[in-house]
Amino acid sequence: MASEHGAATSLQVLRRLDTGPRGLTDSEAAARLADAGENTLPRPHTASWPRRCARALRDPFTAVLLTLGLVSALVASWGTAVVILALVAVSCGLRAAGEHRADRSLAALRELVAGTATVLRRGQEDAEPQAREVPVAELVPGDVVRLGPGDLVPADVRLLRARGLTVHQAVLTGESAPVAKAAVDVPEVSEVPEPADRGPFDEPYLCFQGSGVASGSATAVVVATGERTRFAAVPGESGGRREASAFDRSVHGISWVLIRFMLLTPPLVLMSNAALRGRGLETLPFAVAVAVGLTPEMLPVIVTTCLARGAALLARAHRVVVRRLPALHDLGAADVLCLDKTGTLTQDRPVVERALGPDGEDDPEVLRWAAVAAWWTLQLAELPAPDALDEALLTAAGPVGEEHDGIDAVPFDPERRTATAVVTGAALGTHALVTKGAAEDVLDRCDLDPAERERLLALAAREADAGLRVLAVATAERPARTRPYTAADEHGLTFRGLLTFRDALAPGAAEALRGLTDLGITVRILTGDHPATAARACRDLGLGAVEVETAADVLRRGVEEAAGGAGAGADAGAGRADAEWARAGWASAGRGGSASGPEGAGPEGVVPEGVGPVHVPTVVARCTPEDKARIVAGLRAAGHTVGFLGDGVNDIPALRAADVGIAPRTAVDLARETADVVLAEKDLGAIGHAVTAGRRSSANIATYLRVTLSSNLGNILAMLSAGLLLPFLPMLPAQVLAQNLCFDAAQLAFAHDRPGPAALRRPTALRPRAFLRFITGFGVLNAIADLATFGVLALALRGPDALNDEAVFHSAWFTENLLTQALVMFLLRGGSRPGPIGRAATALAAVGLLLPPSPLGAALGMTGLPPAYHLLLAAVLGLYALALRALRARHGRRRR
């Protein structure tokens, strides 16, 4: 690992790597490349088509349908078996094709972390080293590279020389502020124990792949490449098997409720017919047909088609790639979105907020002097580009500095935390020193009495507490001289004032947040930044006064709740807190949330014992990667469906912990590969479009389930009752199959429906208990309508003896079943425009009326019906429609 090479002097590192400050020769580099491999991260293996189809069989309904198809074949019900197995094949093919298209789209969006790197190479052993641009993939351990502002660190490196070097490690740590690095030498590992609180990225002499140079320059030796870098190791440490998503849990819950019904139905049919009618195994095909009738055969096809269409529309219209189709449902069901501040709500680019004089009032001269220092430091120190703060100063001040002649510059040093430019002074024969840097360090170099210094420090602290970055400016007049200026000349300065900076907001972030709120999604900001900085960004985004806590406080409170408040307080220490966490788990709820009840269960359906609800604030600051994953898992355990937007290696644990992980195209490769949804641009507005598409698909799936399950349950109850009342089977197996095929064909319209606006206003979740209540109520109503057909038949066919006519009874019930199913499709859908559902319901009703008297009906054992039956049936259906509307309105009021 990189740290093994870093914790030693630079000379020791060079010796271990068998290299030197002049770099490697071309032949040495080629040999090491062949031995160590390319400097690329391993990409996940793309599943083959057979493997994709086999994965689709793990869906519970698909597995049940496959089982029923095999059972139908065993009892020689070949028609039923062929249709069911065809549905299984279509479902698996559609799902595999959708995932294959998503992988192809993601491959088209993939970009490398860095294209080339500047490396010192020699053609021969005794030749002078030449700086060359080589592909990052060709870097090997022992290469000597040069780094400058704007460069991405191409591998894990140990600094040999550095001048004013600061790097952004946000993709690794989540901390937006640049971190100072220096080429310091340390003794061997065994001589100096590493501090217990030092993180894996805190070594000042190491820079890691994926971080970016903010300012300064450096020469470094490559110590680790490819999968041996820290960049590649972080996901492995936090990996593990991903928990079931919200879609998986919901569908599995509904599936097992129906599977219990299906396993119970055939034995009931067989036993009741054997006991009351003396019919035994000859009713087995009918019992299998009844079980198939209860199964929503089209569910895998409808689900896959709805999600695939939604994913395809998202990719075309908004350039959002859904890598895992069920993730689109999870987006529609999401009620909490967790995201980082840096680079998401803000651009990771500071802008000048105010220029304050020593009295705390606005003073534009402070900005002018600071911009002069930035301009001449950039010119005289020969820096290739200004750092982020200097760039903000030059942008805010406009053209400055040319009124002075530049004399010298002392660039920024991470240790003294100041930078100085020397320009011609106002008086002839004088030089002006302009020093800017951290407030405390600049004030130490000013002529101030202690009371005044404390007052100015308090002023700087007040601005920092408001979430602003603070830069102090001081000047001094010196007699002109020719001798170079050094850091020792930074003394006896006159304090000029303070400059405050805030993070530039991401374009459209405020509007996107309002849009997500309107969609009923609660945003939680998990950031590695200082609490005041995060709170300031939220205020700037128009979120008002938000509640902010550190991750340590939130997790400590969660541990105390889990442990009953005993022994896990602030003094227990990080180790004790982690132990309590591991022992008890943690359920975290939002405001008013609860971790109780089956629908509030965790990823495996069980809330950890002894865990109480804990309030999670809008902003959780000082988050480590593990903290983010814990908070996301806690929200899921409290019954929330959680999305997480992240782009760095530090976000990968949370991306895995969320129901749906979201990453932009510009994210690091590993984050993109981990995410379920990839955005072409890092735009919160695109998430709003994706959520709407997910809700549209989920609403269609939910409507299909409500319609199908309530209708099927009613038919099964009626069939069981009729089987006990009639001297013959209430419907032949072939007729049951034909009825199911007609209904299934009509239900394909649900994949193309556009639900009403009400379905898109709030998260759409498939909740097993709610569905069970719904289908029970509407299924009983459907069964009553079916049983009322018996009375219609008795009246229309004049006399009880007519019920002994099997063909008439089968035809009448076949027609009534399809008409009631058409009514259920039309009335339970919701929305104003019927669209494809209305057309499909009309076609289904026409088949119910026209098929029995047709030649195909005769082949199925049916016959034409007298007009009187149709008139009485119209009356029954009218009453059924009124009851349906009344029950639906009552259900809608209960949901509100």
Side-chain angles (χ1 to χ4, degrees):
M1 293 297 294
S3 59
E4 296 174 357
H5 295 286
T9 65
S10 56
L11 181 59
Q12 289 168 338
V13 172
L14 291 172
R15 286 175 177 170
R16 288 176 188 172
L17 294 170
D18 192 19
T19 186
R22 301 168 68 231
L24 300 173
T25 64
D26 290 335
S27 58
E28 288 173 336
R32 295 189 186 196
L33 183 63
D35 181 54
E38 291 191 341
N39 180 33
T40 56
L41 300 177
R43 298 195 185 279
H45 177 68
T46 302
S48 62
W49 278 93
R51 184 179 294 274
R52 292 182 194 274
C53 293
R55 279 203 308 241
L57 289 175
R58 290 184 298 186
D59 177 88
F61 272 127
T62 306
V64 169
L65 282 176
L66 180 61
T67 303
L68 288 175
L70 296 176
V71 171
S72 300
L74 288 176
V75 298
S77 183
W78 300 112
T80 303
V82 168
V83 171
I84 291 176
L85 295 176
L87 287 172
V88 171
V90 169
S91 172
C92 293
L94 284 173
R95 180 167 294 186
E99 292 179 354
H100 176 67
R101 283 195 301 269
D103 284 347
R104 282 196 310 175
S105 299
L106 183 65
L109 290 175
R110 208 174 266 131
E111 292 180 354
L112 293 177
V113 173
T116 62
T118 303
V119 61
L120 296 181
R121 290 272 177 89
R122 294 170 290 151
Q124 301 293 332
E125 182 65 35
D126 56 353
E128 287 298 315
Q130 299 291 327
R132 304 179 192 173
E133 291 290 322
V134 301
V136 167
E138 295 181 8
L139 288 181
V140 295
D143 263 330
V144 175
V145 296
R146 289 180 176 173
L147 303 173
D151 287 345
L152 287 175
V153 179
D156 286 359
V157 300
R158 207 290 185 188
L159 298 177
L160 302 177
R161 293 184 299 276
R163 185 179 185 188
L165 183 66
T166 62
V167 298
H168 283 293
Q169 297 186 152
V171 296
L172 299 167
T173 64
E175 177 66 57
S176 63
V179 178
K181 297 288 184 176
V184 295
D185 275 345
V186 297
E188 290 280 3
V189 178
S190 59
E191 299 177 20
V192 179
E194 186 171 332
D197 59 349
R198 170 168 287 180
F201 303 104
D202 290 341
E203 294 91 342
Y205 42 81
L206 290 179
C207 293
F208 301 93
Q209 183 184 34
S211 54
V213 178
S215 64
S217 59
T219 301
V221 59
V222 174
V223 297
T225 59
E227 61 185 7
R228 291 172 294 278
T229 62
R230 191 71 183 174
F231 189 79
V234 169
E237 293 172 359
S238 59
R241 188 172 180 178
R242 187 168 185 163
E243 298 285 359
S245 69
F247 177 81
D248 298 329
R249 298 197 302 271
S250 299
V251 170
H252 284 209
I254 296 171
S255 300
W256 285 111
V257 169
L258 293 178
I259 288 170
R260 293 185 185 99
F261 273 110
M262 290 164 52
L263 294 176
L264 186 63
T265 300
L268 281 177
V269 173
L270 291 173
M271 289 187 295
S272 59
N273 277 274
L276 299 178
R277 297 294 178 182
R279 297 189 292 262
L281 290 178
E282 65 268 20
T283 62
L284 183 58
F286 175 71
V288 172
V290 169
V292 172
L294 181 62
T295 307
E297 301 100 323
M298 297 299 293
L299 179 62
V301 177
I302 295 290
V303 166
T304 307
T305 304
C306 284
L307 297 178
R309 288 189 74 249
L313 290 173
L314 266 180
R316 286 199 303 268
H318 304 291
R319 300 179 67 202
V320 175
V321 177
V322 180
R323 300 186 65 239
R324 183 178 61 86
L325 284 182
L328 190 60
H329 163 271
D330 295 340
L331 271 176
D335 58 342
V336 176
L337 175 65
C338 297
L339 47 85
D340 195 0
K341 175 188 73 68
T342 305
T344 304
L345 301 178
T346 63
Q347 297 184 51
D348 197 18
R349 176 177 63 83
V351 295
V352 175
E353 175 74 3
R354 295 181 67 189
L356 305 175
D359 57 357
E361 300 297 327
D362 292 334
D363 185 352
E365 277 295 295
V366 180
L367 175 60
R368 188 185 73 83
W369 278 116
V372 167
W375 170 258
W376 283 113
T377 302
L378 179 66
Q379 303 301 317
L380 298 174
E382 298 181 356
L383 299 177
D387 66 16
L389 292 181
D390 283 351
E391 187 174 9
L393 288 171
L394 296 173
T395 300
V400 295
E402 296 182 0
E403 67 272 23
H404 300 277
D405 290 331
I407 306 299
D408 200 355
V410 183
F412 179 82
D413 186 329
E415 293 185 3
R416 76 179 200 280
R417 300 197 301 171
T418 59
T420 295
V422 184
V423 298
T424 53
L428 188 63
T430 62
H431 289 166
L433 277 70
V434 187
T435 300
K436 58 182 176 63
E440 184 175 359
D441 295 88
V442 171
L443 288 170
D444 285 343
R445 291 162 172 78
C446 295
D447 281 335
L448 296 170
D449 60 69
E452 179 66 7
R453 182 178 181 279
E454 290 302 318
R455 185 186 70 81
L456 293 173
L457 283 175
L459 175 63
R462 186 189 69 193
E463 297 299 321
D465 290 342
L468 300 171
R469 298 185 193 179
V470 180
L471 192 71
V473 182
T475 63
E477 289 283 337
R478 298 279 195 271
R481 74 186 195 197
T482 59
R483 188 175 73 255
Y485 287 84
T486 66
D489 295 302
E490 296 175 343
H491 64 85
L493 306 179
T494 300
F495 181 75
R496 288 286 183 172
L498 300 172
L499 287 160
T500 61
F501 301 81
R502 59 175 173 81
D503 288 333
L505 302 181
E511 182 180 354
L513 285 177
R514 287 193 295 270
L516 291 172
T517 301
D518 292 340
L519 289 172
I521 295 178
T522 301
V523 175
R524 294 285 183 261
I525 301 169
L526 313 180
T527 178
D529 270 349
H530 188 279
T533 304
R536 177 66 187 226
C538 291
R539 289 197 297 271
D540 292 343
L541 287 165
L543 298 180
V546 297
E547 190 175 2
V548 184
E549 286 188 73
T550 65
D553 290 338
V554 173
L555 295 177
R556 184 182 297 114
R557 189 172 63 248
V559 170
E560 290 171 351
E561 291 287 341
D571 298 330
R576 176 65 180 274
D578 286 343
E580 290 292 335
W581 173 280
R583 183 183 65 80
W586 174 50
S588 167
R591 297 184 183 184
S594 173
S596 61
E599 292 183 7
E604 298 300 326
V606 178
V607 176
E609 207 173 306
V611 176
V614 176
H615 170 64
V616 177
T618 304
V619 178
V620 183
R622 295 300 190 197
C623 279
T624 67
E626 292 75 18
D627 293 337
K628 293 179 182 180
R630 287 175 172 179
I631 292 171
V632 168
L635 287 167
R636 290 184 66 196
H640 296 287
T641 302
V642 184
F644 183 86
L645 172 63
D647 62 353
V649 173
N650 64 305
D651 294 320
I652 289 176
L655 287 169
R656 284 190 171 134
D659 287 292
V660 53
I662 310 167
R665 178 189 59 174
T666 53
V668 299
D669 284 356
L670 292 173
R672 284 202 307 269
E673 298 292 351
T674 302
D676 304 302
V677 176
V678 178
L679 311 177
E681 304 296 338
K682 198 167 188 179
D683 178 17
L684 287 178
I687 297 180
H689 293 303
V691 167
T692 300
R695 290 184 183 179
R696 185 174 289 118
S697 299
S698 297
N700 287 341
I701 295 170
T703 303
Y704 161 76
L705 280 172
R706 284 195 291 266
V707 169
T708 301
L709 297 182
S710 58
S711 179
N712 287 359
L713 179 61
N715 288 340
I716 296 307
L717 293 175
M719 281 188 181
L720 290 175
S721 301
L724 300 178
L725 296 172
L726 298 174
F728 50 82
L729 291 177
M731 195 173 287
L732 299 178
Q735 294 166 352
V736 174
L737 178 61
Q739 174 185 282
N740 288 341
L741 283 175
C742 293
F743 195 25
D744 291 343
Q747 288 169 330
L748 284 173
F750 283 108
H752 304 272
D753 192 25
R754 292 187 66 85
L760 308 180
R761 292 194 190 110
R762 59 183 178 183
T764 306
L766 305 175
R767 301 190 181 277
R769 280 193 167 189
F771 268 92
L772 186 58
R773 288 193 299 267
F774 185 96
I775 66 174
T776 300
F778 285 90
V780 169
L781 180 62
N782 189 293
I784 292 173
D786 285 345
L787 293 174
T789 306
F790 294 164
V792 169
L793 288 172
L795 292 174
L797 302 181
R798 295 184 178 83
D801 293 339
L803 290 179
N804 291 324
D805 189 332
E806 294 185 33
V808 171
F809 184 90
H810 293 161
S811 303
W813 203 5
F814 182 91
T815 298
E816 186 269 345
N817 273 338
L818 290 190
L819 290 177
T820 54
Q821 287 172 339
L823 273 177
V824 169
M825 285 181 63
F826 187 77
L827 294 178
L828 292 191
R829 168 190 172 269
S832 55
R833 297 181 181 179
I837 299 298
R839 294 191 290 272
T842 302
L844 185 63
V847 170
L849 292 170
L850 299 178
L851 182 61
S854 71
L856 181 57
L860 293 173
M862 293 186 288
T863 186
L865 296 168
Y869 168 77
H870 292 100
L871 292 175
L872 290 172
L873 181 59
V876 172
L877 292 177
L879 294 173
Y880 177 57
L882 292 175
L884 266 180
R885 293 182 69 91
L887 188 57
R888 183 175 178 273
R890 181 170 177 267
H891 176 77
R893 288 193 298 271
R894 287 184 61 185
R895 289 184 65 189
R896 289 194 292 270

